[in-house]
Every structure is written in structure tokens, then in C-alpha cells.
Amino acid sequence: MAQIETHEYDVLVIGAGGAGLRAAIEASASGLSVGLVCKSLLGKAHTVMAEGGIAASLANVDQRDNWKVHFADTMRGGQYLNNWRMAELHAREAPERVRELEAWGALFDRTKDGRILQRNFGGHKYPRLAHVGDRTGLEMIRTLQDHGIHQGIEVHVECTITTLLKDDTRVAGGFGYDREKGRFKLFHAKAIILATGGIGRAYKITSNSWEYTGDGLALAYQAGADLMDMEFVQFHPTGMVWPPSVQGILVTESVRGEGGILLNKDGRRFMFEDIPELYRNQTADNEEEGWRYTQGDPDARRPPELLTRDHIARCIVREIKEGRASPHGGVYLDISWIKKRLPNAEEIIKKKLPSMYHQFKQLADIDITKEAMEVGPTTHYMMGGVRVDADTQMSTVPGLYAAGECAAGLHGANRLGGNSLSDLLVFGRRAGEHAARFAKEHGAARIDDKRVEEAASAVLKPFEPDGDPRGANPFQVQYDLQEMMQKLVGIVRKEDEMRQAVDELQKLRERAVRVRANGNREYNPGWHTALDLVNLLTVSQMIALAALERKESRGAHFREDYPNKSDTFGKCNIVVRKDADGRMAISRLPTSELRADLKLIVEEMK
Amino acid sequence: MITKATFGIWRGDARGGKFENYETRVSEGMVVLDAVHQIQAEQANDLAVRWNCKAGKCGSCSAEVNGNPKLMCMTRLSDLPLGKTTTIEPMRAFPLIRDLVTDVSWNFRVKKQIKKFKPRPPDAPDGTWRIAQEDVDRVQEFRKCIECFLCQDVCHVLREHHLHNEFIGPRYFVYAASLEMHPLDTENRLAELKKTQGIGLCNITKCCTKVCPENITITDNAIIPLKERVVDEFYDPIKKLFRMLKP
Ligand code: SF4
Ligand code: SF4
Ligand code: FES
């Protein structure tokens, strides 16, 4: 058999963004041996890109805030499909997780009396996001990284796990390869935490990097775990649209939090035209009130630019479709207009949004203190993922945990901005704690050599594709998949297009088995892309099938053929799992009844 | 606008390599990383390159473009003389893995040697601290670092003199400064900076500052103040006496 480097850990964490790092820190703090597998270099994960902040009801800026309001906001944002227990734990524990980050060295912007400053964000009733300028994600990942390296966690950088191994029903380890030399690595582990992030690479226009190919979701699926809510893909309303090479790069919601407005080509502030019922009470109905809100007036209601992301993305698509797009097919996002209101606007913009200023200046020749940006929706976040127990984060496979973006439940049909970083911290920690407990309570599991051999030969397959001596170019297949998903399973969906997508996926799978990697195993991106394709195809299939099943429009899932919400679908989550014949099976899982006290909170804050 | 351009990309590994020329289409707004990706997708699937964010935020895509240390994702083709071949090669201060990818693991090992953050006791009974915004602003600059290691790449102490065992490099002086000047930190890192981390080897050429994509004033704001602190600590006669009495 091929040479394999073997490691043994109590807990193996796959993914080293915010959730993976937080989980690893927690598990190792309990004295266990922890291995951390990182697809890129340490500290480069997508968490770095998070700009806005961490949502936590610290109530430093507005004393009316507390966990209950945060809970109600999260449930409303998720259109009540959220796992309410996760939403509760998240809202209760987020403040403590933020304070802990400060104790580990993170430095947030401050209020006048020296506390952590909080900013406004879409869907949050009060200013709630702890932040530092517009680079909160960097501060967070660096803090976790720098804290983690002194804890004895063993980090395997540039390493990709391709298969999870099981001992009967429980998880027993992971098999993968390192990028540098293409060497095989086998990890024995008593418990495994998936923290692999999202699926953005399934779409053409995305804010996600090459890493986000749904690895954790596909690994869990192959291992027999349930997945849930896969139809809910968040398209962030504001990505860059010009020049073409930067299409999809994120423009933070903080631009709108600081007073930025959305305009169509006629200069009309179109967001005022369509305010959903659920939010009417909390939304300003005139520009003046909206402006006062962004400037911290506690009596003002939020401007419609701070409605939830799903809604704004759809309004933008409408403007574009109806012929009111900006020159490059987006809409305008203008922060420079605040100079009409504030004397030192230029300075404020540069101070509050330094990396946005930099990004537009360098990549698009646009000075955002002087001109409007052009923006359009970009694939940003997967609300769905591995179905987990709310308290422990364990999946339906014993010993297998998931946290962060690759877990489902907290966000329901739509995630609020800022709830992602807090999610990583709250549930990263919980997953770490409970995986450690599982590891302590269970002895070592056994790994079957035969399975390892199979995993190894699957990884080498792109070097010798079936039949065709030339094989297909993995980049081309990936590109065709992205085009197809963007077109057929994008922001606006309908039955016949999604059926077509399912057929196309079949053809793509046939092409994918014949992709060929040129060259050798040393740091070979063609080979890595070929391997990632397998996962991308699996998650794309889940998205398409789940989206077909949900015959209604809710949150991020919008169907032209079923434009309204339905009570039936409002009471169930869509679950995906591999059935006994190895086929992808879709089922409906009734949501559980909201606990009485939580129901009261939701009612009160309607 | 030119619609095609030629890129000379370093192909090879630790055993050796050479520039390989590729011609590819260029269009408005493209950056060097786009050209590399296009070449990779169409002509050289196994061309090794690191990237993540494509927005200058992760510090993965460092390379030398026409001999200048740059983030490939933030270097616009329109700023380069495309009439002649554009060379793209890996950072030269680190061992080559393959093509444009270098082994930067030394940096991560160095970081571990720097003593971790140690906060003063909380200011308030609820376990929180009170910090003035201006104290946050003071270190903000250092905390912007994206760990691209371009400063390490150009520093002659590493690049030419290979003193990797005695000198932690500008990135880690910035890191040490961000901790030393952290409003809550109580640790003292000056002894190591002087003895094992080689701050004295820096002769303030400022090459590091010039290449930093985050515009961190590495020399003036991080290194020089640290050097001053070291001097105060070790050459101040009163402190010296104090140290002799208190071993
Ligand atoms: S200023 Fe010092 S650290 Fe910076 S490049 Fe010159 S010698 Fe190196
Ligand atoms: S200090 Fe600047 S050049 Fe050096 S690693 Fe950090 S961001 Fe890069
Ligand atoms: S890809 Fe992240 S800095 Fe260039």
C-alpha cells in the first residue's frame, strides 16, 4: 500500500477558521490531544474577510438590548425555521464569547466610556456588532490563532481531508493529503469536528475563495449524517460588479450601517418602495428618520437599506431586471452622500471603512468618499449544513460534530449579518467541549485498512482517468458547474430550471470522473481542483434537490413559481441524507414546537 | 488597450527552475493573479500558486512581479508595462516548494517564540476592561498586518544574510510592538528582542516599510520605538543597577 503518514489525536478538528480554531482551543484546554487540519495556511480562512462585526447583546451602546431581543431578531431574520434552541444559546452566550476574545487580546473600537463599541447592522434592532473598523474578522482570527498556538494544538497546514472513516456507526478518523508533496495522511481520532465553512465555489459569482467547496458537508453526507436547510444559500446583496475580475468580492454591510444608501440608475432610493410586512413596524418610512438611525438616534427606526440580506438582494435583482441597472449591471451604493450631512465626511468614511476605501481605490479606481460604488448580489453564505444537536453540536453520526457555517440550524432561512462571527465562537466552543467529552468517554476506534486503501486510490484517480487518455480539464468542469448553478439554482428559482439543473449535474458528474490531473503530486492545483469537484457536485445536488422540494418562497429561497410563503413549509425543514442504496434522499422534518417562554418573547417583539 | 500580454512565470521546485513564457488575454481591471489563474486554467493546470481572498486581506498571494514584492491580487495589469514580458517569481527569502509557492513555515515557528498576550486584571467587577479609543488607535496600525511576509522577503538580514536563527524579521517586530503597546498587556518582551530576536541587527533601511501592502510604518512606528525601549531597559544606568541587585 502507498506510504501514509499517521497521526493519533483525541479530537481532530477539520477547518481552521473561527469555528475550527475556537473548537480546537476548547478541546485542548481540557487536556486532550488535538489535531487541527487547515486547507490553506493558518490564519487565511474566510473568517479573515468578515468585515462588519460580532453580534452580541452587550448593551454597551443601547441599554435596551439583551439576549431576548437578539434571539427574537435572529428568529425573525430566519423566518422561524431556525433551530430555536440554537438561537437561544447563541443569543445568551455571544456576549461572554466576545469578552473572552478581549481577554485573549482582541482590541475592539470603544465607546466614549471605554467599553466595546457596537454598530448597527441589518435586521438587528439595536446597535449590536462589536467591531474594529471594517476588519473585525482579521482581528478575530488572529486573536484565536495567536492564542491557539500556545496551547499545544498540532496544526497541519495545507492539508485536505477527502474521506471520513468509521468504526461501525461511530466516526474513527480522517484520510487526506497534504498540498506540498501530495503525501497521504491518516488521522486516528476519537471525535471529529467539522468546521470547513461554506460552498461558495459552487457558484460563478461568489465572495468565497477556492477553499469553499462544501468539503465538510460532503464528508458528513458520505459518512451517513443528516444535512438540513440546503436550499438556503445567502446571496449577499452587495458584491463588487466592476471590473469583471473582481466580480463578487464583498462590499461590507457596514457601508449601509454607516449611512450608505442604495440607488438605481435614475438616482431613486428604491429600497423605500418595498418593505416587508414582518419589518414594517421597525423600518423608517422617510429618509430623514433613516439617517437619524444611522447616527445613533435611539428613537429613529432603521432605514430600509438595513433590512435583511435576502430581501435587499431580491430588490436589487428586480431593479436590474426591470432595466434600472447601473452601467455595469448592478445598482449604486453611495456613502459619499453623507458629506451633505457631515462636515468631515471624507475623514469619517476613511476611518470607519478603511479597507473598503482601499479595495475600491486599488481595484476599481473609485474613491468611495467622492463617488458611488456599483454593487450586485454575490454568493456569500450557506445557512444549511450538517444537522446537529443544538447543545452539543453532534451530528447524527456518533462522534462527528459540526460548527460554524458548515452546521445548520442557527440561521434558518436567512442569516443576519454579524451572527456569523458570533456563531463561530459560541458553537465552536460548544463543539470543542462536547467532542472532548465524547473522546474522554469513548476509547479509541478502529480503522479498517481496506477503507484507507480505497480512499487512497480514489485520491489518485485523476492521474489515470477512465478510458480517455486526455481526460477533461478540471478547471473547465468546475467553471461549467458554476455557470450552471448561477443560472439555474441562483437567487430566483423555478421548477423547470431546477429540473434542468439536476440533469446537468448528472452530465457534469460523468465528466468529472474523467477529469485529468497533469504533472505530479507536488503542489498541483489541477489535481486539487479535480478532487474538490467531487464535493462541489455533491453539495450542488443537495442544493438543487432541497430547493425543488421547498415549494414556497421564504428567506433566501425565492421561487418565481411559488412566490408566497406556505404554512406547510413554514413548519418543516428539508433534510438530505444518503439512503440505504446510496442515493440522495430528501425528506421533510417537522420543526419542533417553540418552548413556551421563547414563544412569549417572539410574540412580544413581533 | 493591449489585448494579449506575455508573462514569464517561474516554474520549478527546490531542485531548480526557470522562467516559462505564457501568452494570455488581458481585459479591463485584471490583476496579476487573474492572469496567473487564467494561465493555470487554460495552459498549465499544475501551476502552483497560493491565494484566498483576492482582495488584499489574507496575505496569501505574495510574489515578486517584475522584481518587486507584491500581492498579486492587488497589482493591476494596467499599472505594468505590458509591452514587455512581465516576470512573476516566488518570494526569494524563503525556500521554494514549487512555482510561485514558498515554504513560509519558519514565520509561524518564529511567532511561537514571542511571549503571548498577558492582560492586566479586569478594570470592572464584571470582568471587563475600560480602554480609551486613542489607545486602541495607537496599535491599530500593527494589527492590520495580513501576514503576507513581503517585509520578511525584502529585509536584507534574511534575504541576503540568512540570519533566520538570530533575527525574527520586520513582521515580528510589528507583532511584538502590537503586544508591547497593547493597552492591556503587562508582559515584557524586551530581553528576548535584544538577545535572541535580533532587533539590533536591523539597521533601519526601511525596505520593509516600502513594500508593506497594508502601509504599516514598520520602521518608524514599530521598530524604532522598540529599539528605544530596549535601550531604556538595558543601557539606562539606574535600571542596570536595579537588575544587578535583583537577579
Ligand atoms: S528596516 Fe530593518 S527590518 Fe526593515 S528591511 Fe531594513 S533592516 Fe530589515
Ligand atoms: S507587516 Fe506588512 S509586509 Fe509585513 S507581513 Fe504584515 S502586512 Fe505583510
Ligand atoms: S489573495 Fe488574499 S491577499 Fe491576495
Side-chain angles (χ1 to χ4, degrees):
Chain A
M1 191 164 74
Q3 254 205 329
I4 299 179
E5 184 186 303
T6 305
H7 299 269
E8 250 170 77
Y9 298 110
D10 293 315
V11 177
L12 179 71
V13 182
I14 305 174
L21 279 164
R22 187 63 191 83
I25 288 170
E26 195 66 17
S28 75
S30 69
L32 298 185
S33 67
V34 176
L36 178 62
V37 171
C38 188
K39 200 170 172 181
S40 285
L41 295 175
L42 191 60
K44 310 294 184 193
H46 205 49
T47 307
V48 142
M49 296 286 287
E51 292 154 348
I54 315 175
S57 58
L58 297 159
N60 288 351
V61 172
D62 195 316
Q63 291 184 355
R64 290 171 296 180
D65 203 11
N66 59 51
W67 77 265
K68 293 175 184 166
V69 190
H70 192 183
F71 168 77
D73 287 350
T74 303
M75 293 296 291
R76 188 186 307 109
Q79 308 262 343
Y80 306 104
L81 277 188
N82 325 51
N83 175 322
W84 52 262
R85 175 66 177 155
M86 278 175 83
E88 179 196 8
L89 291 170
H90 169 254
R92 281 182 188 269
E93 293 175 9
E96 194 45 44
R97 296 285 80 75
V98 171
R99 288 195 280 265
E100 167 183 87
L101 221 49
E102 180 154 274
W104 293 347
L107 263 182
F108 298 102
D109 283 344
R110 317 307 290 189
T111 61
K112 290 223 164 54
D113 64 350
R115 296 165 202 260
I116 295 174
L117 182 63
Q118 298 179 273
R119 72 156 46 116
N120 286 316
F121 234 58
H124 293 282
K125 186 153 187 208
Y126 301 119
R128 189 176 284 146
L129 270 64
H131 64 277
V132 42
D134 57 359
R135 50 159 203 85
T136 315
L138 174 65
E139 185 73 12
M140 175 162 142
I141 201 167
R142 206 62 87 222
T143 301
L144 292 171
Q145 174 188 343
D146 296 350
H147 186 79
I149 55 175
H150 295 286
Q151 286 223 344
I153 300 162
E154 271 184 38
V155 185
H156 298 266
V157 295
E158 300 199 308
C159 176
T160 304
I161 300 295
T162 60
T163 310
L164 292 182
L165 302 151
K166 283 172 48 176
D167 180 355
D168 193 19
T169 57
R170 74 176 270 209
V171 79
F175 173 88
Y177 64 90
D178 75 357
R179 285 162 76 73
E180 181 176 341
K181 294 274 180 232
R183 281 168 300 221
F184 293 143
K185 290 196 175 196
L186 177 63
F187 301 92
H188 290 262
K190 294 175 188 154
I192 294 183
I193 300 170
L194 298 170
T196 54
I199 55 94
R201 280 275 129 187
Y203 289 85
K204 182 178 163 206
I205 301 173
T206 176
S207 63
N208 291 193
S209 86
W210 68 273
E211 294 187 288
Y212 299 95
T213 50
D215 296 2
L217 309 188
L219 289 172
Y221 171 80
Q222 300 298 357
D226 281 7
L227 287 102
M228 189 174 88
D229 294 342
M230 291 297 291
E231 66 276 31
F232 296 117
V233 178
Q234 180 168 76
F235 298 91
H236 192 291
T238 60
M240 292 177 82
V241 296
W242 188 260
S245 67
V246 300
Q247 206 176 29
I249 295 178
L250 200 65
V251 181
T252 174
E253 193 166 324
S254 322
V255 175
R256 285 168 280 140
E258 301 296 345
I261 54 175
L262 290 165
L263 303 167
N264 66 18
K265 79 165 198 302
D266 309 321
R268 226 183 129 74
R269 204 165 156 193
F270 58 86
M271 285 307 300
F272 274 109
E273 286 156 25
D274 179 7
I275 296 168
E277 207 41 58
L278 213 48
Y279 285 92
R280 196 171 307 276
N281 290 338
Q282 323 182 345
T283 309
D285 51 17
N286 64 78
E287 301 195 5
E288 190 52 41
E289 184 180 0
W291 166 250
R292 280 193 283 116
Y293 178 91
T294 63
Q295 299 310 297
D297 179 345
D299 298 323
R301 292 171 300 173
R302 74 170 82 102
E305 275 85 1
L306 291 178
L307 284 162
T308 53
R309 291 174 173 179
D310 52 342
H311 179 72
I312 299 175
R314 268 195 305 279
C315 290
I316 293 177
V317 169
R318 181 195 67 213
E319 293 302 306
I320 296 170
K321 274 201 174 158
E322 293 177 2
R324 294 186 294 277
S326 61
H328 300 108
V331 295
Y332 293 111
L333 171 60
D334 191 12
I335 181 77
S336 71
W337 80 281
I338 68 169
K339 60 181 175 262
K340 289 192 205 141
R341 302 275 185 161
L342 302 169
N344 51 344
E346 186 173 333
E347 201 182 304
I348 291 177
I349 296 169
K350 283 188 191 162
K351 168 118 210 296
K352 296 269 188 182
L353 304 162
S355 66
M356 278 305 107
Y357 174 77
H358 202 61
Q359 184 173 313
F360 273 88
K361 189 104 193 143
Q362 248 174 300
L363 295 174
D365 281 328
I366 288 200
D367 180 345
I368 66 168
T369 67
K370 300 206 165 62
E371 344 163 37
M373 303 160 241
E374 273 186 82
V375 297
T378 178
T379 314
H380 185 53
Y381 188 88
M382 177 44 118
M383 267 72 73
V386 181
R387 183 159 85 90
V388 291
D389 172 71
D391 288 77
T392 64
Q393 298 287 292
M394 191 162 90
S395 71
T396 50
V397 171
L400 181 63
Y401 295 74
E405 188 173 349
C406 78
L410 173 60
H411 310 293
N414 175 58
R415 174 175 72 80
L416 297 185
N419 270 1
S420 178
L421 293 187
S422 42
D423 173 10
L424 308 183
L425 295 172
V426 168
F427 293 106
R429 177 183 153 276
R430 283 188 163 264
E433 178 189 337
H434 290 280
R437 178 171 304 159
F438 185 96
K440 280 180 192 157
E441 286 167 2
H442 295 78
R446 208 185 48 86
I447 289 178
D448 185 348
D449 285 345
K450 214 169 126 251
R451 291 280 105 78
V452 177
E453 264 172 71
E454 283 165 12
S457 67
V459 168
L460 291 179
K461 196 150 165 297
F463 288 109
E464 37 195 276
D466 295 344
D468 191 341
R470 284 189 14 256
N473 177 342
F475 292 98
Q476 188 62 45
V477 179
Q478 189 194 53
Y479 181 80
D480 294 344
L481 168 70
Q482 293 165 338
E483 283 270 321
M484 188 281 286
M485 287 296 285
Q486 189 80 33
K487 208 167 101 216
L488 303 178
V489 202
I491 306 181
V492 177
R493 300 166 172 178
K494 50 182 182 225
E495 186 88 13
D496 54 339
E497 288 186 350
M498 291 192 285
R499 296 244 167 259
Q500 194 193 335
V502 174
D503 293 342
E504 298 281 333
L505 281 167
Q506 179 57 32
K507 288 182 214 149
L508 284 162
R509 271 196 298 275
E510 284 159 19
R511 283 171 67 196
V513 278
R514 283 183 287 110
V515 293
R516 181 179 185 88
N518 299 315
N520 61 34
R521 282 163 66 178
E522 290 176 23
Y523 218 110
N524 183 343
W527 180 37
H528 307 150
T529 302
L531 295 172
D532 287 346
L533 254 182
V534 182
N535 297 340
L536 268 183
L537 285 161
T538 307
V539 294
S540 298
Q541 179 87 357
M542 294 188 213
I543 297 169
L545 293 183
L548 272 166
E549 179 74 7
R550 183 171 288 281
K551 294 182 175 50
E552 67 156 354
S553 292
R554 183 182 296 271
H557 174 65
F558 184 78
R559 289 191 56 160
E560 213 166 65
D561 43 0
Y562 299 94
N564 301 313
K565 280 188 231 180
S566 105
D567 286 344
T568 320
F569 284 103
K571 293 196 193 74
C572 69
N573 296 96
I574 309 289
V575 168
V576 184
R577 72 168 72 91
K578 194 154 117 177
D579 71 12
D581 306 324
R583 277 190 309 246
M584 195 177 282
I586 303 290
S587 56
R588 298 180 194 178
L589 180 77
T591 53
S592 71
E593 185 73 23
L594 199 59
R595 212 174 59 215
D597 57 321
L598 297 177
K599 199 178 216 157
L600 219 61
I601 296 173
V602 167
E603 290 304 325
E604 252 170 47
M605 300 192 192
K606 266 247 159 90
Chain B
M1 174 147 185
I2 306 175
T3 51
K4 282 204 163 189
T6 305
F7 297 85
I9 301 179
W10 189 263
R11 299 299 309 264
D13 54 27
R15 294 174 289 256
K18 63 175 181 354
F19 283 108
E20 206 65 79
N21 278 355
Y22 300 92
E23 194 186 55
T24 196
R25 304 176 311 285
V26 298
S27 56
E28 192 179 342
M30 265 173 80
V31 293
V32 171
L33 186 63
D34 293 322
V36 171
H37 277 155
Q38 207 166 285
I39 290 162
Q40 181 190 58
E42 294 169 3
Q43 307 178 40
N45 283 181
D46 63 345
L47 169 58
V49 58
R50 274 195 189 107
W51 71 283
N52 284 81
C53 69
K54 226 178 150 290
K57 294 194 169 76
C58 74
S60 302
C61 65
S62 308
E64 299 185 7
V65 178
N66 287 339
N68 302 313
K70 293 276 187 199
L71 294 179
M72 285 186 278
C73 70
M74 296 303 273
T75 307
R76 304 234 343 226
L77 293 183
S78 55
D79 295 335
L80 300 172
L82 292 184
K84 51 181 203 224
T85 302
T86 301
T87 61
I88 310 172
E89 57 193 307
M91 288 192 284
R92 292 300 186 188
F94 304 110
L96 185 61
I97 291 177
R98 192 163 160 199
D99 305 339
L100 300 177
V101 173
T102 53
D103 178 357
V104 291
S105 57
W106 170 78
N107 291 283
F108 292 89
R109 288 194 298 276
V110 167
K111 193 181 221 181
K112 271 195 192 178
Q113 301 167 10
I114 297 169
K115 284 194 201 140
K116 70 187 274 192
F117 173 69
K118 193 167 124 197
R120 69 174 184 237
D123 301 333
D126 65 354
T128 60
W129 288 271
R130 299 290 174 270
I131 308 171
Q133 181 66 38
E134 63 217 51
D135 291 333
V136 174
D137 291 343
R138 195 167 309 131
V139 285
Q140 216 51 276
E141 180 184 12
F142 308 137
R143 306 180 72 85
K144 286 193 311 189
C145 171
I146 56 174
E147 303 201 326
C148 66
F149 309 130
L150 287 171
C151 55
Q152 309 284 70
D153 183 43
V154 291
C155 177
H156 67 101
V157 183
L158 299 170
R159 191 180 176 107
E160 273 130 47
H161 305 290
H162 306 287
L163 295 177
H164 293 72
N165 290 328
E166 304 155 47
F167 182 72
I168 59 176
R171 157 59 190 138
Y172 294 103
F173 294 135
V174 168
Y175 181 59
S178 86
L179 290 167
E180 284 288 302
M181 299 179 206
H182 191 298
L184 303 184
D185 185 70
T186 55
E187 188 58 87
N188 185 330
R189 300 171 186 81
L190 299 176
E192 298 86 28
L193 279 169
K194 175 176 182 287
K195 292 192 190 115
T196 56
Q197 297 171 351
I199 194 160
L201 292 168
C202 161
N203 55 348
I204 322 190
T205 58
K206 304 198 182 185
C207 310
C208 50
T209 305
K210 276 182 217 130
V211 300
C212 176
E214 285 290 313
N215 299 316
I216 302 171
T217 321
I218 305 174
T219 4
D220 290 5
N221 292 355
I223 298 179
I224 294 176
L226 284 179
K227 277 177 179 269
E228 285 168 359
R229 288 183 183 208
V230 167
V231 168
D232 282 352
E233 176 99 356
F234 291 94
Y235 304 100
D236 178 325
I238 296 173
K239 278 207 173 163
K240 201 166 178 180
L241 188 71
F242 194 68
R243 248 200 334 274
M244 276 158 55
L245 296 173
K246 190 188 91 174

